[in-house]
mmCIF file of all heavy atoms in Angstrom:
data_model
loop_
_atom_site.group_PDB
_atom_site.id
_atom_site.type_symbol
_atom_site.label_atom_id
_atom_site.label_comp_id
_atom_site.label_asym_id
_atom_site.label_seq_id
_atom_site.Cartn_x
_atom_site.Cartn_y
_atom_site.Cartn_z
ATOM 1 N N SER A 1 0.869 -1.309 0.089
ATOM 2 C CA SER A 1 -0.001 0.025 0.053
ATOM 3 C C SER A 1 0.781 1.258 0.014
ATOM 4 O O SER A 1 0.375 2.407 -0.336
ATOM 5 C CB SER A 1 -0.843 0.106 1.331
ATOM 6 O OG SER A 1 -0.200 -0.023 2.465
ATOM 7 N N ASP A 2 2.050 1.224 0.287
ATOM 8 C CA ASP A 2 3.078 2.295 0.247
ATOM 9 C C ASP A 2 3.558 2.694 -1.048
ATOM 10 O O ASP A 2 4.157 3.800 -1.242
ATOM 11 C CB ASP A 2 4.237 2.045 1.218
ATOM 12 C CG ASP A 2 3.824 1.829 2.661
ATOM 13 O OD1 ASP A 2 2.936 2.425 3.007
ATOM 14 O OD2 ASP A 2 4.475 0.972 3.346
ATOM 15 N N VAL A 3 3.261 1.852 -2.081
ATOM 16 C CA VAL A 3 3.845 2.098 -3.476
ATOM 17 C C VAL A 3 2.709 2.328 -4.420
ATOM 18 O O VAL A 3 1.859 1.380 -4.609
ATOM 19 C CB VAL A 3 4.803 0.930 -3.957
ATOM 20 C CG1 VAL A 3 5.320 1.335 -5.431
ATOM 21 C CG2 VAL A 3 5.834 0.633 -2.837
ATOM 22 N N ASP A 4 2.639 3.600 -4.863
ATOM 23 C CA ASP A 4 1.534 3.855 -5.701
ATOM 24 C C ASP A 4 2.153 4.013 -7.145
ATOM 25 O O ASP A 4 2.687 5.065 -7.542
ATOM 26 C CB ASP A 4 0.987 5.261 -5.312
ATOM 27 C CG ASP A 4 -0.393 5.601 -6.170
ATOM 28 O OD1 ASP A 4 -0.434 5.260 -7.328
ATOM 29 O OD2 ASP A 4 -1.303 6.239 -5.508
ATOM 30 N N LEU A 5 1.872 2.958 -7.941
ATOM 31 C CA LEU A 5 2.408 2.882 -9.299
ATOM 32 C C LEU A 5 1.914 3.898 -10.327
ATOM 33 O O LEU A 5 2.482 4.253 -11.225
ATOM 34 C CB LEU A 5 2.291 1.467 -9.765
ATOM 35 C CG LEU A 5 3.223 0.479 -9.095
ATOM 36 C CD1 LEU A 5 2.858 -1.020 -9.591
ATOM 37 C CD2 LEU A 5 4.608 0.724 -9.289
ATOM 38 N N GLU A 6 0.597 4.225 -10.074
ATOM 39 C CA GLU A 6 -0.094 5.167 -10.909
ATOM 40 C C GLU A 6 0.528 6.456 -10.636
ATOM 41 O O GLU A 6 0.801 7.227 -11.688
ATOM 42 C CB GLU A 6 -1.696 5.044 -10.648
ATOM 43 C CG GLU A 6 -2.338 3.832 -11.190
ATOM 44 C CD GLU A 6 -1.946 3.675 -12.740
ATOM 45 O OE1 GLU A 6 -2.017 4.569 -13.505
ATOM 46 O OE2 GLU A 6 -1.579 2.528 -13.072
ATOM 47 N N LYS A 7 0.434 7.048 -9.489
ATOM 48 C CA LYS A 7 0.969 8.374 -9.107
ATOM 49 C C LYS A 7 2.549 8.516 -9.205
ATOM 50 O O LYS A 7 3.010 9.520 -9.061
ATOM 51 C CB LYS A 7 0.514 8.763 -7.707
ATOM 52 C CG LYS A 7 -0.963 9.113 -7.616
ATOM 53 C CD LYS A 7 -1.394 9.531 -6.230
ATOM 54 C CE LYS A 7 -2.731 9.832 -6.060
ATOM 55 N NZ LYS A 7 -3.158 10.396 -4.781
ATOM 56 N N GLN A 8 3.102 7.190 -9.230
ATOM 57 C CA GLN A 8 4.605 7.153 -9.247
ATOM 58 C C GLN A 8 5.137 7.797 -7.911
ATOM 59 O O GLN A 8 5.958 8.615 -7.954
ATOM 60 C CB GLN A 8 5.238 7.652 -10.460
ATOM 61 C CG GLN A 8 4.791 7.050 -11.750
ATOM 62 C CD GLN A 8 5.310 7.489 -13.003
ATOM 63 O OE1 GLN A 8 4.751 7.505 -14.038
ATOM 64 N NE2 GLN A 8 6.503 8.094 -13.000
ATOM 65 N N GLU A 9 4.738 7.421 -6.793
ATOM 66 C CA GLU A 9 5.208 7.761 -5.479
ATOM 67 C C GLU A 9 5.310 6.752 -4.520
ATOM 68 O O GLU A 9 4.587 5.755 -4.457
ATOM 69 C CB GLU A 9 4.088 8.762 -4.921
ATOM 70 C CG GLU A 9 3.983 10.102 -5.779
ATOM 71 C CD GLU A 9 2.898 11.040 -5.124
ATOM 72 O OE1 GLU A 9 2.133 10.633 -4.375
ATOM 73 O OE2 GLU A 9 2.985 12.199 -5.458
ATOM 74 N N ILE A 10 6.285 6.846 -3.683
ATOM 75 C CA ILE A 10 6.458 5.845 -2.556
ATOM 76 C C ILE A 10 6.254 6.615 -1.196
ATOM 77 O O ILE A 10 6.859 7.650 -1.013
ATOM 78 C CB ILE A 10 7.950 5.261 -2.579
ATOM 79 C CG1 ILE A 10 8.116 4.345 -3.834
ATOM 80 C CG2 ILE A 10 8.217 4.427 -1.345
ATOM 81 C CD1 ILE A 10 9.531 3.809 -4.033
ATOM 82 N N PHE A 11 5.471 6.046 -0.420
ATOM 83 C CA PHE A 11 5.176 6.607 0.972
ATOM 84 C C PHE A 11 6.036 5.939 1.908
ATOM 85 O O PHE A 11 5.786 4.758 2.249
ATOM 86 C CB PHE A 11 3.713 6.511 1.279
ATOM 87 C CG PHE A 11 3.278 7.152 2.449
ATOM 88 C CD1 PHE A 11 3.440 8.606 2.622
ATOM 89 C CD2 PHE A 11 2.994 6.494 3.585
ATOM 90 C CE1 PHE A 11 3.086 9.348 3.768
ATOM 91 C CE2 PHE A 11 2.684 7.269 4.810
ATOM 92 C CZ PHE A 11 2.710 8.536 4.957
ATOM 93 N N VAL A 12 7.071 6.695 2.462
ATOM 94 C CA VAL A 12 7.815 6.147 3.502
ATOM 95 C C VAL A 12 7.321 6.482 4.902
ATOM 96 O O VAL A 12 7.233 7.638 5.105
ATOM 97 C CB VAL A 12 9.321 6.827 3.406
ATOM 98 C CG1 VAL A 12 10.198 6.290 4.436
ATOM 99 C CG2 VAL A 12 9.847 6.450 1.952
ATOM 100 N N ARG A 13 6.976 5.497 5.604
ATOM 101 C CA ARG A 13 6.341 5.587 6.917
ATOM 102 C C ARG A 13 7.470 5.526 8.074
ATOM 103 O O ARG A 13 8.314 4.566 8.015
ATOM 104 C CB ARG A 13 5.289 4.516 7.130
ATOM 105 C CG ARG A 13 4.327 4.537 6.182
ATOM 106 C CD ARG A 13 3.327 3.318 6.395
ATOM 107 N NE ARG A 13 2.354 3.211 5.322
ATOM 108 C CZ ARG A 13 1.234 3.882 5.411
ATOM 109 N NH1 ARG A 13 0.839 4.787 6.365
ATOM 110 N NH2 ARG A 13 0.336 3.739 4.359
ATOM 111 N N CYS A 14 7.533 6.470 8.834
ATOM 112 C CA CYS A 14 8.429 6.470 9.970
ATOM 113 C C CYS A 14 9.874 6.187 9.463
ATOM 114 O O CYS A 14 10.580 5.239 9.900
ATOM 115 C CB CYS A 14 8.128 5.384 11.077
ATOM 116 S SG CYS A 14 6.598 5.875 11.947
ATOM 117 N N GLY A 15 10.402 7.077 8.636
ATOM 118 C CA GLY A 15 11.811 7.023 8.282
ATOM 119 C C GLY A 15 12.621 7.379 9.416
ATOM 120 O O GLY A 15 12.213 7.479 10.524
ATOM 121 N N LYS A 16 13.947 7.740 9.089
ATOM 122 C CA LYS A 16 14.847 8.301 10.289
ATOM 123 C C LYS A 16 14.166 9.436 10.875
ATOM 124 O O LYS A 16 13.554 10.252 10.332
ATOM 125 C CB LYS A 16 16.207 8.667 9.652
ATOM 126 C CG LYS A 16 17.250 8.709 10.690
ATOM 127 C CD LYS A 16 18.610 8.885 10.048
ATOM 128 C CE LYS A 16 19.680 9.010 11.040
ATOM 129 N NZ LYS A 16 21.023 9.146 10.495
ATOM 130 N N ASN A 17 14.301 9.442 12.297
ATOM 131 C CA ASN A 17 13.726 10.435 13.133
ATOM 132 C C ASN A 17 12.097 10.327 13.159
ATOM 133 O O ASN A 17 11.404 11.352 13.508
ATOM 134 C CB ASN A 17 14.152 11.889 12.831
ATOM 135 C CG ASN A 17 15.581 12.108 12.940
ATOM 136 O OD1 ASN A 17 16.227 11.513 13.739
ATOM 137 N ND2 ASN A 17 16.260 12.798 11.897
ATOM 138 N N LYS A 18 11.696 9.161 12.734
ATOM 139 C CA LYS A 18 10.267 8.841 12.674
ATOM 140 C C LYS A 18 9.357 9.749 11.904
ATOM 141 O O LYS A 18 8.383 10.155 12.168
ATOM 142 C CB LYS A 18 9.776 8.771 14.131
ATOM 143 C CG LYS A 18 10.351 7.676 14.943
ATOM 144 C CD LYS A 18 9.637 7.513 16.398
ATOM 145 C CE LYS A 18 10.269 6.359 17.161
ATOM 146 N NZ LYS A 18 9.653 6.062 18.458
ATOM 147 N N LYS A 19 9.967 10.385 10.767
ATOM 148 C CA LYS A 19 9.323 11.172 9.928
ATOM 149 C C LYS A 19 8.805 10.576 8.649
ATOM 150 O O LYS A 19 9.528 9.722 8.070
ATOM 151 C CB LYS A 19 10.266 12.329 9.492
ATOM 152 C CG LYS A 19 10.601 13.197 10.644
ATOM 153 C CD LYS A 19 11.439 14.417 10.220
ATOM 154 C CE LYS A 19 11.855 15.419 11.354
ATOM 155 N NZ LYS A 19 12.550 16.490 11.002
ATOM 156 N N ASP A 20 7.482 10.850 8.226
ATOM 157 C CA ASP A 20 6.998 10.234 6.964
ATOM 158 C C ASP A 20 7.365 11.138 5.909
ATOM 159 O O ASP A 20 7.617 12.421 6.120
ATOM 160 C CB ASP A 20 5.470 10.194 7.059
ATOM 161 C CG ASP A 20 4.999 9.279 8.188
ATOM 162 O OD1 ASP A 20 5.689 8.481 8.635
ATOM 163 O OD2 ASP A 20 3.805 9.430 8.635
ATOM 164 N N ARG A 21 7.524 10.681 4.686
ATOM 165 C CA ARG A 21 7.719 11.516 3.536
ATOM 166 C C ARG A 21 7.264 10.795 2.203
ATOM 167 O O ARG A 21 7.108 9.549 2.185
ATOM 168 C CB ARG A 21 9.269 11.854 3.313
ATOM 169 C CG ARG A 21 10.132 10.799 2.842
ATOM 170 C CD ARG A 21 11.593 11.299 2.909
ATOM 171 N NE ARG A 21 12.561 10.397 2.260
ATOM 172 C CZ ARG A 21 13.113 9.376 2.785
ATOM 173 N NH1 ARG A 21 12.733 9.043 4.187
ATOM 174 N NH2 ARG A 21 13.996 8.571 2.231
ATOM 175 N N VAL A 22 7.046 11.513 1.199
ATOM 176 C CA VAL A 22 6.635 10.909 -0.089
ATOM 177 C C VAL A 22 7.819 11.124 -1.049
ATOM 178 O O VAL A 22 8.312 12.199 -1.301
ATOM 179 C CB VAL A 22 5.373 11.707 -0.725
ATOM 180 C CG1 VAL A 22 5.125 11.241 -1.992
ATOM 181 C CG2 VAL A 22 4.194 11.456 0.264
ATOM 182 N N VAL A 23 8.168 9.970 -1.759
ATOM 183 C CA VAL A 23 9.341 9.915 -2.651
ATOM 184 C C VAL A 23 8.758 9.740 -4.091
ATOM 185 O O VAL A 23 8.372 8.611 -4.229
ATOM 186 C CB VAL A 23 10.376 8.978 -2.309
ATOM 187 C CG1 VAL A 23 11.550 8.947 -3.292
ATOM 188 C CG2 VAL A 23 10.869 9.342 -0.805
ATOM 189 N N PRO A 24 8.827 10.590 -4.964
ATOM 190 C CA PRO A 24 8.465 10.308 -6.326
ATOM 191 C C PRO A 24 9.486 9.536 -7.141
ATOM 192 O O PRO A 24 10.640 9.378 -6.658
ATOM 193 C CB PRO A 24 8.379 11.756 -6.964
ATOM 194 C CG PRO A 24 9.362 12.533 -6.165
ATOM 195 C CD PRO A 24 9.392 11.984 -4.802
ATOM 196 N N PHE A 25 9.023 8.786 -8.118
ATOM 197 C CA PHE A 25 9.965 8.041 -8.898
ATOM 198 C C PHE A 25 9.591 8.232 -10.494
ATOM 199 O O PHE A 25 8.610 8.568 -10.848
ATOM 200 C CB PHE A 25 10.025 6.565 -8.441
ATOM 201 C CG PHE A 25 8.740 5.701 -8.557
ATOM 202 C CD1 PHE A 25 8.314 5.207 -9.677
ATOM 203 C CD2 PHE A 25 7.971 5.743 -7.338
ATOM 204 C CE1 PHE A 25 7.120 4.439 -9.766
ATOM 205 C CE2 PHE A 25 6.777 4.940 -7.288
ATOM 206 C CZ PHE A 25 6.291 4.342 -8.516
ATOM 207 N N SER A 26 10.680 7.802 -11.265
ATOM 208 C CA SER A 26 10.666 8.140 -12.696
ATOM 209 C C SER A 26 9.925 6.986 -13.431
ATOM 210 O O SER A 26 9.359 5.973 -12.899
ATOM 211 C CB SER A 26 12.022 8.097 -13.179
ATOM 212 O OG SER A 26 12.547 6.764 -13.087
ATOM 213 N N ASP A 27 9.599 7.287 -14.753
ATOM 214 C CA ASP A 27 8.893 6.330 -15.599
ATOM 215 C C ASP A 27 9.759 4.981 -15.819
ATOM 216 O O ASP A 27 9.165 3.934 -15.879
ATOM 217 C CB ASP A 27 8.756 6.900 -16.919
ATOM 218 C CG ASP A 27 7.821 8.056 -17.137
ATOM 219 O OD1 ASP A 27 6.989 8.154 -16.128
ATOM 220 O OD2 ASP A 27 7.804 8.966 -17.928
ATOM 221 N N ASP A 28 11.017 5.202 -15.696
ATOM 222 C CA ASP A 28 11.930 3.915 -15.725
ATOM 223 C C ASP A 28 11.614 2.984 -14.668
ATOM 224 O O ASP A 28 11.513 1.696 -14.838
ATOM 225 C CB ASP A 28 13.416 4.301 -15.905
ATOM 226 C CG ASP A 28 13.791 4.923 -17.296
ATOM 227 O OD1 ASP A 28 12.999 4.700 -18.186
ATOM 228 O OD2 ASP A 28 14.861 5.600 -17.373
ATOM 229 N N LEU A 29 11.562 3.510 -13.468
ATOM 230 C CA LEU A 29 11.414 2.815 -12.256
ATOM 231 C C LEU A 29 9.894 2.277 -12.313
ATOM 232 O O LEU A 29 9.663 1.081 -11.854
ATOM 233 C CB LEU A 29 11.623 3.582 -10.966
ATOM 234 C CG LEU A 29 11.537 2.647 -9.628
ATOM 235 C CD1 LEU A 29 12.449 1.394 -9.673
ATOM 236 C CD2 LEU A 29 11.726 3.594 -8.393
#
């Protein structure tokens, strides 16, 4: 559920320092 292939975004839950973030990715990936 963290990987949205349509929007090309990865939702990182509780990364370092317990912070969430959204990481976009390219057409190739």
Side-chain angles (χ1 to χ4, degrees):
S1 58
D2 296 328
V3 182
D4 191 324
L5 293 173
E6 290 304 314
K7 291 184 178 180
Q8 296 180 214
E9 292 178 344
I10 292 173
F11 184 66
V12 178
R13 302 176 189 273
C14 290
K16 194 170 182 180
N17 299 319
K18 296 189 176 180
K19 291 183 178 179
D20 298 341
R21 73 183 190 279
V22 174
V23 178
F25 56 85
S26 67
D27 292 338
D28 286 342
L29 183 57

